[in-house]
């Protein structure tokens, strides 16, 4: 009996530790964004303080570029998600329903492509993108973000579409439905959980990505993480209050999104790791 | 029915090309062709605005004999070996904890997943403040406990510890989910049978949990090796590889060669060294996966 109590106590401590580890940094940055300047730097750390929105006001007045970067991030995330979802769904459908040696062989290549580190392709793409004059546009990041998820996306969609009985598309085909109609009216509605799982991956990735944004954008298409990184690297010292406020604004939407979509994220992660 | 099947087969590839084209075009134009071009680049010397000259293996030799590359490689290996294995142990512990029956399990699961939503940039901002050497709350807590603080601003070793902690924080959700899903998939009657046979908790862990979770552990490990090997943003944002290139990792070395020193040839050679190491890691993965498939078939 005492043993069991002790075990339960240890378990509670372990649960607390993992929750603090996961949530404390997020909690701290959000809470600190409402602290006045001198409260942020108080030693020992202040846990009770007069909340203020002064950093948010300063963010609005001194960093208009942050808000245009949020807009860029939104456009790029939406574009990359649409492109990746459409491309992965149509390809996943073919991989699920059609059989040929070429197709089976190309699955290996779909998986193999994921092994190439993203930084590798920046070397040739940087001069090419400059030469084409599409440097610093939404288009470049949309294409890059979508591309780095279509291989995983296709494999995921194949797994999800495999679970839809073939008899359904065959019945529709006998009724005279074309391939596109089958895809739109039969496959897409039934494969929605898969589509959402792919979309969750791309949305989180595109909203947060740093490397490609850092290399391929400079002013017009700058994304929010890039502007936040400039706040961190500011030469005349970091304005922590504004940095916390900007981080909170960038973080909260995607955090809430992950919280609400956690089921799809878990399904995608497990299917992606075991099947792809 | 047979007729329909036949006509579907006959029209197969031609008819579905439009459906496959977007994925194949994206992969070819953004990843495959550029990567092949990087091979060509790695055998030439060039910088912006100059025509390239063929130099054979020169770039590779130059990279492999460069002390800065050695230190970058060692740092990368330290991160891969220390951080990834530590992360795996923690993830395994948390997965088993979740499996042992917790109250509010879904809520706790979401809490553990939360760092997945956080950008590397924001995570670095958090870490830099939490461990700030003057006012950081973690630094204060360490001091209050009489523990040494992380002087990551000038001690490269401490900076590496910070980066390792940060990567564990960012990737624990991934590793945890893989292991937790694998643990949930184990049949409970096995444990029942072991209990009836008088096995202790430790024995069932050693003899049932670990062997049966083996494949999932390997999958999680290999994914994390491959992703830790391309680590860039966390290091770049935390230290920019400094002080004096002491905290560079391979991807940061590559970036510096290409975009700071304009040495695209050696950068390309570094890039292909990265690809080859990833391929080697993955071939281990495929080999183990095959063995797993064969074992399942038996």
């Amino acid at each position: 009996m005492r043993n069991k109590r002790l075990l339960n106590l240890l378990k509670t401590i372990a649960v607390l530790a993992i929750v603090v580890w996961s949530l404390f940094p997020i909690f701290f940055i959000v809470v600190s964004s409402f602290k006045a300047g001198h409260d942020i730097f108080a030693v020992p750390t202040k846990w009770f303080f007069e909340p203020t929105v002064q950093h948010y006001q300063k963010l609005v007045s001194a960093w208009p570029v942050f808000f245009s970067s949020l807009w860029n991030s939104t456009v790029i995330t939406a574009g990359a998600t649409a492109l990746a979802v459409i491309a992965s769904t149509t390809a996943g459908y073919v991989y699920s329903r059609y059989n040929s040696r070429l197709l089976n062989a190309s699955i290996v290549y779909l998986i193999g492509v994921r092994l190439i580190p993203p930084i590798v392709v920046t070397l040739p793409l940087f001069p090419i993108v400059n030469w084409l004059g599409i440097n610093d546009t939404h288009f470049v990041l949309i294409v890059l973000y979508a591309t780095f998820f279509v291989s995983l996306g296709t494999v995921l969609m194949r797994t999800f579409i495999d679970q839809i009985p073939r008899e359904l598309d065959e019945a529709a085909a006998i009724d005279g439905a074309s391939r596109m109609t089958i895809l739109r009216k039969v496959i897409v509605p039934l494969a929605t959980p898969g589509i959402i799982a792919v979309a969750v991956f791309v949305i989180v990735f595109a909203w947060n990505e740093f490397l490609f944004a850092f290399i391929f954008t400079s002013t017009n298409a700058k994304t929010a993480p890039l502007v936040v990184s400039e706040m961190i690297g500011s030469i005349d010292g970091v304005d922590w209050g504004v940095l916390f406020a900007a981080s909170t604004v960038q973080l909260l939407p995607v955090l809430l999104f992950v919280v609400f979509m956690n089921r799809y994220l878990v399904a995608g992660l497990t299917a992606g790791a075991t099947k792809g | 029915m047979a007729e329909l099947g036949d006509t579907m087969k006959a029209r197969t590839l031609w008819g579905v090309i439009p459906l496959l084209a977007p994925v194949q075009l994206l992969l070819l134009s953004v990843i495959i062709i550029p990567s092949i071009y990087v091979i060509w680049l790695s055998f030439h010397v060039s910088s912006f605005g100059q025509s390239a000259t063929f130099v054979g293996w020169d770039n590779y030799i130059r990279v492999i004999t460069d002390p800065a590359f050695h230190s970058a490689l060692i740092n990368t290996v330290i991160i891969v070996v220390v951080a990834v294995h530590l992360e795996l142990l923690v993830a395994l512990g948390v997965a088993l904890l979740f499996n042992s029956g917790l109250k509010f399990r879904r809520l706790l699961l979401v809490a553990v997943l939360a760092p997945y939503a956080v950008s590397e940039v924001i995570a670095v901002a958090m870490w830099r403040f939490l461990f700030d050497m003057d006012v950081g709350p973690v630094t204060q807590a360490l001091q209050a406990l009489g523990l040494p603080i992380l002087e990551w601003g000038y001690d490269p070793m401490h900076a590496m510890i910070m980066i390792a902690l940060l990567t564990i924080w960012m990737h624990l959700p991934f590793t945890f989910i893989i292991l937790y899903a694998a643990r949930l998939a184990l049949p409970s009657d096995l444990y029942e049978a072991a209990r009836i046979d008088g096995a202790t908790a430790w024995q069932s862990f050693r003899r049932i949990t670990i062997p049966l979770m083996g494949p999932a552990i390997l999958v999680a490990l290999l994914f994390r090796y491959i992703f830790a090997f391309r680590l860039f943003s966390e290091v770049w944002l935390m230290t920019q590889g400094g002080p004096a290139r002491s905290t560079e990792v391979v991807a940061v070395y590559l970036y510096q060669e290409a975009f700071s020193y304009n040495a695209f040839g050696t950068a390309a050679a570094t890039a292909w060294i990265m690809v080859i190491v990833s391929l080697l890691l993955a071939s281990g993965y495929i080999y183990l996966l095959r063995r797993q498939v064969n074992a399942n078939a038996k």
Side-chain angles (χ1 to χ4, degrees):
Chain A
M1 210 47 219
R2 266 190 69 193
N3 253 337
K4 188 136 195 217
R5 267 230 197 105
L6 187 69
L7 196 70
N8 273 333
L9 183 69
L10 285 178
K11 254 170 74 173
T12 312
I13 292 172
V15 169
L16 276 177
I18 187 69
V19 169
V20 169
W21 163 263
S22 300
L23 294 185
F24 178 72
I26 299 173
F27 169 80
F28 188 80
I29 217 169
V30 173
V31 168
S32 298
S33 71
F34 295 104
K35 283 183 182 175
H38 55 272
D39 286 338
I40 289 179
F41 296 107
V43 176
T45 307
K46 267 198 180 169
W47 299 107
F48 301 98
F49 56 89
E50 190 98 4
T52 161
V53 291
Q54 64 180 66
H55 303 301
Y56 289 89
Q57 286 164 340
K58 191 169 173 200
L59 183 66
V60 171
S61 61
W63 288 87
V65 63
F66 176 69
F67 294 91
S68 62
S69 76
L70 278 178
W71 172 246
N72 289 336
S73 280
T74 309
V75 172
I76 291 165
T77 303
T81 308
L83 181 56
V85 162
I86 293 170
S88 307
T89 307
T90 56
Y93 168 65
V94 174
Y95 279 107
S96 167
R97 290 304 194 246
Y98 294 83
N99 235 320
S100 90
R101 230 175 259 156
L102 196 66
L103 274 181
N104 293 343
S106 70
I107 275 279
V108 178
Y109 135 92
L110 275 183
I111 296 168
V113 152
R114 292 178 64 199
L115 296 172
I116 296 175
I119 197 166
V120 170
V121 304
T122 63
L123 295 177
L125 289 182
F126 184 71
I128 292 171
V129 161
N130 280 336
W131 180 70
L132 289 172
I134 51 171
N135 185 19
D136 201 14
T137 59
H138 295 155
F139 175 77
V140 174
L141 290 185
I142 289 175
V143 169
L144 280 169
Y145 293 165
T147 305
F148 275 86
F149 266 91
V150 287
S151 54
L152 175 65
T154 303
V155 176
L156 276 181
M157 285 315 298
R158 184 182 72 148
T159 317
F160 279 96
I161 294 173
D162 275 344
Q163 291 159 11
I164 302 170
R166 271 162 187 269
E167 287 75 19
L168 288 179
D169 4 346
E170 276 159 18
I174 291 166
D175 289 346
S178 71
R179 196 179 287 115
M180 281 316 283
T181 315
I182 295 174
L183 191 59
R184 267 198 7 248
K185 298 271 163 95
V186 180
I187 302 295
V188 168
L190 292 171
T192 309
I195 292 176
I196 296 175
V198 174
V200 171
F201 272 128
V202 188
I203 288 171
V204 174
F205 173 72
W207 184 257
N208 287 334
E209 204 272 347
F210 174 72
L211 173 65
F212 286 144
F214 177 54
I215 290 178
F216 291 102
T217 68
S218 46
T219 42
N220 298 325
K222 236 181 344 195
T223 62
L226 196 60
V227 174
V228 175
S229 81
E230 285 169 4
M231 292 178 179
I232 299 176
S234 158
I235 317 163
D236 22 284
V238 181
D239 186 339
W240 283 102
V242 172
L243 175 56
F244 288 148
S247 300
T248 303
V249 174
Q250 194 276 347
L251 170 62
L252 280 189
V254 64
L255 185 65
L256 289 176
F257 180 71
V258 164
V259 166
F260 287 117
M261 294 293 177
N262 73 78
R263 273 162 216 281
Y264 297 99
L265 183 64
V266 170
L269 280 174
T270 26
T274 47
K275 307 270 168 19
Chain B
M1 243 24 253
E3 256 173 88
L4 182 71
D6 283 348
T7 45
M8 268 177 95
K9 217 175 255 169
R11 296 183 301 180
T12 300
L13 281 181
W14 286 113
V16 296
I17 279 177
L19 296 178
L20 282 174
V23 164
Q24 307 297 346
L25 272 179
L26 286 173
L27 292 178
L28 276 176
S29 59
V30 177
I31 303 184
I32 304 293
I33 296 171
S35 303
I36 293 169
Y37 177 69
V38 172
I39 302 184
W40 182 87
L41 208 58
S42 73
F43 291 106
H44 289 77
V45 168
S46 78
S47 56
F48 282 122
Q50 286 176 351
S51 60
T53 41
F54 180 79
V55 292
W57 292 96
D58 260 22
N59 288 323
Y60 286 90
I61 294 167
R62 211 178 284 196
V63 169
I64 290 171
T65 54
D66 183 356
F69 178 74
H70 293 167
S71 105
L73 188 64
I74 290 169
N75 285 337
T76 310
V77 171
I78 291 176
I79 294 277
V80 170
V81 171
V82 178
V84 172
H85 290 117
L86 200 60
E87 178 186 313
L88 184 86
L89 280 182
V90 176
L92 186 61
V94 179
L96 297 179
L97 183 68
F98 267 73
N99 190 65
S100 71
L102 292 180
K103 280 176 212 151
F104 314 114
R105 197 160 63 170
R106 198 78 212 175
L107 214 60
L108 291 171
L109 183 88
V110 172
V112 177
L113 276 184
Y116 183 85
V118 181
S119 166
E120 296 116 327
V121 180
I122 310 293
V124 166
M126 289 172 181
W127 243 243
R128 286 174 72 128
F129 192 84
L130 290 174
F131 286 89
D132 186 277
M133 285 181 280
D134 299 318
V135 300
V138 176
T139 303
Q140 288 175 42
L142 290 172
Q143 277 168 335
L145 293 168
L147 295 169
I149 65 162
L150 283 181
E151 295 175 322
W152 56 275
Y154 28 83
D155 186 330
M157 200 58 219
H158 288 193
M160 292 303 293
I161 295 175
M162 279 265 285
I163 291 162
L165 283 175
L166 179 61
T167 59
I168 294 176
W169 188 77
M170 298 215 60
H171 298 284
L172 188 69
F174 171 81
T175 314
F176 159 70
I177 287 297
I178 306 292
L179 297 181
Y180 182 43
R183 177 60 189 84
L184 284 182
L186 299 189
S188 57
D189 43 348
L190 270 178
Y191 290 90
E192 198 68 19
R195 210 170 45 91
I196 291 165
D197 288 346
T200 62
W202 171 250
Q203 278 170 329
S204 4
F205 174 72
R206 270 292 284 121
R207 306 272 169 203
I208 303 174
T209 311
I210 291 298
L212 287 182
M213 282 181 73
I217 292 174
L218 282 173
V219 168
L221 264 185
L222 282 154
F223 264 94
R224 286 293 293 119
Y225 284 155
I226 288 167
F227 281 90
F229 197 73
R230 54 176 78 159
L231 179 72
F232 174 83
S233 309
E234 290 92 325
V235 179
W236 182 257
L237 292 162
M238 190 78 86
T239 65
Q240 301 225 338
R245 305 192 77 174
S246 58
T247 57
E248 273 184 13
V249 288
V250 175
V252 172
Y253 175 86
L254 188 165
Y255 177 86
Q256 296 279 29
E257 288 295 309
F259 298 99
S260 305
Y261 308 127
N262 253 333
F264 272 70
T266 47
T270 313
W272 263 88
I273 293 174
M274 285 181 83
V275 174
I276 287 165
V277 171
S278 298
L279 286 175
L280 286 176
L281 287 171
S283 53
Y285 167 63
I286 288 164
Y287 168 76
L288 292 164
L289 213 62
R290 279 250 171 86
R291 228 176 49 176
Q292 179 197 346
V293 169
N294 288 342
N296 285 349
K298 268 175 208 161

